[in-house]
Amino acid sequence: MNGLGDLMHEVARQATAPLADRVDAAERALGRARRRRRARVVEMLAFTACIVVATFALLPAHVVAPPTVREPLSGAQGPDRLPAHLSVPPPWTPDLDTQPIGRVGMVASDGTGVFAVSADGGMQARIPHAGARPDGISLSADGSVLAWRTGSDDMCGGEQAALSWYVARTGAVRSAQLTPDGSLGGSIDRVLTAPDGAHVLAAVAARTAVPDGCVATSRLVLLDTATGDVVEYRAHSAAAAGDLVAWDADSATVVFSRGDGPNVGAPIRTTRCDLAGQVVDRFTTTRVPDVTPVSVRRAGGSTLRWIPNYQDGKLWSVPLEPDRPNKARSYDLPLRGIADATAVGLRDAADVIATVPVNYDQSGDRRVLVATRPGADPVTLTTADPSVYVRVAAAGVVANAQLGGPGPAAPSGWSVQGVHWWLRSYGGWLAGGLVLAVSAIGLVRRVRRSMTGAG
Amino acid sequence: MDFGEWVATRRGALLRTAYLLTGDTHAAEDLVQGALERVALRWGRIVAAGPPEAYVRQVLYRQHVSSWRRHRNREQLGPAPERAAAEPALAADLRVTLDDALRRLTAKQRAVLVLRFYDDLSESQTADALGIALGTVKSQTRDALARLRSLAPELRDLVDGVEEGRMVREGESQP
C-alpha cells in the first residue's frame, strides 16, 4: 500500500470505527484541544503581564505619579504628598531657594519677608524682615522655616546678620542675631540645620573695628532654635581651615572638608566633630576633578560630596569615609547651570535627583530643571505657573528628603506610585520570573508530549 | 470455515473498502450486507473453491458497480460522517481533505482509485473486478488523480508519488 493507500486506510478506519471508539477518540481530542487552548490563554496572559510590568517599570516616575514627599529626617510630621492645587496667592511669589519639607508645604517670599504655606494651602506663618527681602531661606529637619539676612558687604558698617525662624512645632516666629553685640555688622556665609531639627549651625563673618579700619572675623555659631541661644561652636578652630559641609545624622557629627588647591589629585582634608565641637576624627581623600566643590550631602549612609563640573557636565561624588578613599564616581547629569542647584540628592548609588533653577532664558523667566536619573532627559518647568512650581518643589522635596536618610523606603499603603516604586525595584525580577515560568511550563509540556508520543 | 466466523473476522476490512467505494458509512454497510447476502447462499461452494476473500470482494465491487449504474442519475453526496481525531492534527487534516476529495469524484473514479491504491490490485485485476475495459481503468485512474490534485493541493505530494509509481510500473510492463 502506498502513501495514498495508507491515507485511504485511515479515512476508512476512522469512518467505520465503532461508535464508542469514535466517541472516546473525540472526547480525548476535545480534552486535548481544551488543554491546548487553556495553555495558550495562560501563555498569552503571562506574556501580556510581562509586557505590562516591563512597560510600567520603565516609565519615568513623573509620568506615573508626582513624587512622594517623604519624611525628610527624623522628627518630621509632614504629609505624604504635596497637594497638586497648592499655590501661592499674590503678591507672594514662590522663592526658588526654598526647600519645602514636612508639614510646611512650601515657603514664599514677597521681598519683605517669608511666609510658609501649609500643605492644605493655608498660610502658616509670616516671618518679617523689616522690609527687606531675606537672602536665604531654609527648612529645618522638623519642618521649621529658617530665613536670614546675610548682612551687608560694607566692611565697616551695615546691618547685623540675623536669622529668623518659624517653629513648626509651636507656630511661633523667633529671631536671633548671629553677629556679636558691638560688632559693626556681618554676614552669614552658610546655614546648616542639624538632623535633630533643634540646632542650626551658621558660618558668620563679623566685622569689628580696628584702629585703622575694620576687619572681618569668621565665627561659627550654634543656634538652639528651641531657646534662641546662640553659642560659639567650639570646633571652630579645628574647622577654621575647612568648609562647613554637612551634618552626619548617623553619628551626630559635623563634617568639615577642604581641598588643598584646585589641582586634580590634590587631597581633601576632612574633619569630623561632635555637637560639642570636639574633633572625632580626621582623614584625607583624594580630590578627583579640577572643579569647585559646592556641597556635600549624605545619602545611603555615605557622605557624598557632589561636585558639579561645568566643563564635562558631570556630577562627581566622593565618599568621605576614611575606609573608602579614592572611590569617587561621576554621574552624567544633563543639567546646565548645575552649580545653582538648590537640591541635590542621591537616592541610591545610581539615582541622582537634582532641582536646578536656570536663568538662561532671555525673557527673564526662571526655569527649573529636574533630573531624576543620570542620563535621563531633565524635566524643564517654568515658575510662571505656581502649580508647576509646586511640582518642582515636590521634586525638590524628594531630593532633599533623601539626604541623610537610608535611601528610599517602600511607600506605605496601596497607590499607583507605590506600585510603580515596587515595579521599578522588583519589576525586572518579576518579569524575568514570569518569562522563566512560562518557558519552563512550555518546555515541560513539550517533553511530556514527545515522551508520550502525543501531538 | 464457518460463514459467521469469517464475517466477524473480515467484516471490518470489507466495510472500510465499501466506505471508500461509496463515501458513506450507511451506504457502505448496505453494500457489505448485500454482498454478504449474495455469498452466504453459496458459501459452501465458495469455500471449497479456495480462500473466499477474493470472491467476496469481487461480489462487493460488482454490487457497487451495479449500484452506481442503477443510481447513476441520482447519486448524491451524503453528509460528512462523524470523525474521530485521535491522530495528530496534520494527519487528521490530510485525512479529512482526502475524504472530502474522494466524495467529489465520480463513483467509477473512486472505485478505480480504491481498487488500485487501497486494495493494491493491478490495472487488469481492477478492470476484471469492476467489469470494465483496461483502457477505461487507465483513463479513469489518470483522470481521478488529476482531479484529486486539483481538488486537494495538500495531497499533491501523495498523488505525485502515486503517479510516479504508476508510470514506473507502466514502463516496466511495456517491452
Side-chain angles (χ1 to χ4, degrees):
Chain A
M1 198 180 292
N2 47 56
L4 186 60
D6 290 339
L7 198 53
M8 281 184 183
H9 177 77
E10 271 306 305
V11 171
R13 190 181 66 78
Q14 292 289 330
T16 59
L19 185 60
D21 291 352
R22 277 187 274 163
V23 170
D24 287 349
E27 284 179 346
R28 284 197 300 274
L30 194 61
R32 262 199 309 279
R34 280 182 184 147
R35 284 196 296 276
R36 204 175 297 137
R37 200 177 310 127
R38 212 159 36 216
R40 215 172 292 141
V41 168
V42 169
E43 284 176 7
M44 203 167 61
L45 285 177
F47 182 71
T48 308
C50 288
I51 297 293
V52 170
V53 166
T55 306
F56 200 59
L58 290 174
L59 279 177
H62 69 272
V63 174
V64 179
T68 297
V69 177
R70 300 187 52 71
E71 297 288 342
L73 293 168
S74 61
Q77 302 294 322
D80 283 339
R81 182 180 298 186
L82 280 176
H85 66 271
L86 182 59
S87 61
V88 181
W92 301 89
T93 55
D95 194 311
L96 283 174
D97 293 335
T98 63
Q99 298 175 358
I101 293 179
R103 81 179 69 174
V104 179
M106 59 189 296
V107 291
S109 168
D110 68 345
T112 62
V114 182
F115 82 99
V117 181
S118 63
D120 60 4
M123 181 185 292
Q124 287 280 350
R126 184 174 186 277
I127 307 172
H129 268 273
R133 177 187 172 89
D135 295 311
I137 303 170
S138 182
L139 296 181
S140 68
D142 67 345
S144 299
V145 181
L146 305 172
W148 65 90
R149 293 280 299 165
T150 57
S152 170
D153 290 335
D154 185 355
M155 278 298 291
C156 295
E159 57 186 311
Q160 302 289 351
L163 189 142
S164 302
W165 67 99
Y166 157 69
V167 183
R169 288 189 301 272
T170 62
V173 176
R174 304 178 66 98
S175 184
Q177 181 180 316
L178 301 186
T179 43
D181 291 334
S183 64
L184 298 176
S187 60
I188 298 175
D189 293 333
R190 185 140 198 181
V191 171
L192 200 64
T193 56
D196 61 4
H199 295 86
V200 176
L201 204 55
V204 180
R207 281 120 195 165
T208 54
V210 293
D212 54 349
C214 307
V215 293
T217 306
S218 63
R219 67 193 295 252
L220 202 58
V221 296
L222 187 66
L223 166 69
D224 186 338
T225 58
T227 63
D229 294 339
V230 177
V231 295
E232 187 93 14
Y233 192 60
R234 279 179 287 173
H236 182 221
S237 57
D243 303 317
L244 171 62
V245 290
W247 287 97
D248 186 337
D250 295 338
S251 58
T253 53
V254 185
V255 180
F256 304 91
S257 182
R258 177 178 181 173
D260 273 1
N263 298 327
V264 175
I268 297 175
R269 304 187 191 284
T270 301
T271 305
R272 201 194 311 258
C273 302
D274 60 18
L275 280 180
Q278 299 299 318
V279 175
V280 176
D281 54 19
R282 291 191 178 90
F283 52 92
T284 301
T285 51
T286 302
R287 187 176 180 174
V288 181
D290 181 17
V291 292
T292 304
V294 172
S295 177
V296 170
R297 304 286 192 183
R298 286 187 57 79
S302 300
T303 302
L304 296 162
R305 181 187 186 96
W306 64 270
I307 306 167
N309 189 339
Y310 281 113
Q311 294 175 346
D312 60 6
K314 290 182 185 299
L315 184 72
W316 286 88
S317 72
V318 182
L320 296 181
E321 271 66 25
D323 56 341
R324 295 178 60 196
N326 304 322
K327 294 290 185 184
R329 61 178 300 171
S330 67
Y331 302 90
D332 286 314
L333 282 182
L335 300 176
R336 292 186 303 167
I338 195 171
D340 297 329
T342 55
V344 170
L346 301 170
R347 191 154 60 191
D348 52 42
D351 211 359
V352 178
I353 304 171
T355 307
V356 184
V358 180
N359 293 304
Y360 290 146
D361 193 336
Q362 293 185 352
S363 67
D365 288 343
R366 301 184 77 184
R367 294 183 181 277
V368 176
L369 299 179
V370 180
T372 57
R373 187 169 277 273
D377 290 336
V379 180
T380 305
L381 301 167
T382 175
T383 59
D385 181 355
S387 64
V388 171
Y389 173 74
V390 170
R391 290 202 294 275
V392 176
V397 169
V398 172
N400 203 49
Q402 301 306 323
L403 307 178
S412 58
W414 283 101
S415 64
V416 172
Q417 191 188 12
V419 172
H420 186 238
W421 181 92
W422 194 90
L423 286 176
R424 279 177 73 91
S425 302
Y426 304 106
W429 290 103
L430 179 63
L434 279 173
V435 169
L436 280 179
V438 170
S439 305
I441 289 171
L443 187 66
V444 168
R445 286 180 54 226
R446 280 174 202 280
V447 168
R448 281 179 56 189
R449 207 179 299 151
S450 65
M451 288 178 70
T452 57
Chain B
M1 182 183 293
D2 182 58
F3 178 70
E5 287 178 9
W6 188 87
V7 169
T9 308
R10 301 304 302 161
R11 183 178 177 278
L14 293 174
L15 198 58
R16 286 194 286 274
T17 302
Y19 175 80
L20 290 174
L21 290 171
T22 60
D24 179 78
T25 312
H26 303 296
E29 288 173 347
D30 287 348
L31 182 61
V32 171
Q33 184 174 315
L36 292 177
E37 275 177 12
R38 297 284 294 274
V39 299
L41 298 174
R42 299 188 287 273
W43 183 251
R45 273 182 291 162
I46 296 169
V47 171
E53 174 96 18
Y55 184 82
V56 175
R57 284 186 175 272
Q58 184 86 359
V59 172
L60 191 77
Y61 302 148
R62 295 289 173 89
Q63 287 269 85
H64 177 57
V65 170
S66 303
S67 166
W68 98 52
R69 282 177 179 153
R70 234 181 0 255
H71 304 298
R72 179 177 296 174
N73 297 326
R74 58 181 180 86
E75 183 173 342
Q76 291 180 345
L77 297 177
E82 298 173 31
R83 298 184 184 92
E87 65 278 281
L90 182 61
D93 288 348
L94 285 177
R95 181 169 54 75
V96 171
T97 304
L98 178 64
D99 199 7
D100 290 341
L102 285 176
R103 287 163 188 279
R104 299 194 186 186
L105 301 180
T106 65
K108 192 183 289 185
Q109 288 174 336
R110 196 162 58 229
V112 167
L113 285 189
V114 171
L115 267 59
R116 289 281 289 108
F117 303 118
Y118 177 67
D119 283 346
D120 271 343
L121 300 184
S122 66
E123 289 175 335
S124 58
Q125 285 172 327
T126 302
D128 189 40
L130 295 178
I132 56 179
L134 181 61
T136 307
V137 171
K138 289 181 179 177
S139 63
Q140 288 292 312
T141 303
R142 188 177 57 249
D143 294 348
L145 290 176
R147 187 109 193 268
L148 266 188
R149 199 182 288 115
S150 66
L151 287 173
E154 304 94 312
L155 302 173
R156 185 177 293 273
D157 290 343
L158 288 177
V159 173
D160 289 346
V162 167
E163 193 90 287
E164 287 168 9
R166 190 171 65 87
M167 302 284 285
V168 168
R169 278 197 299 276
E170 284 179 356
E172 288 172 349
S173 64
Q174 289 175 359

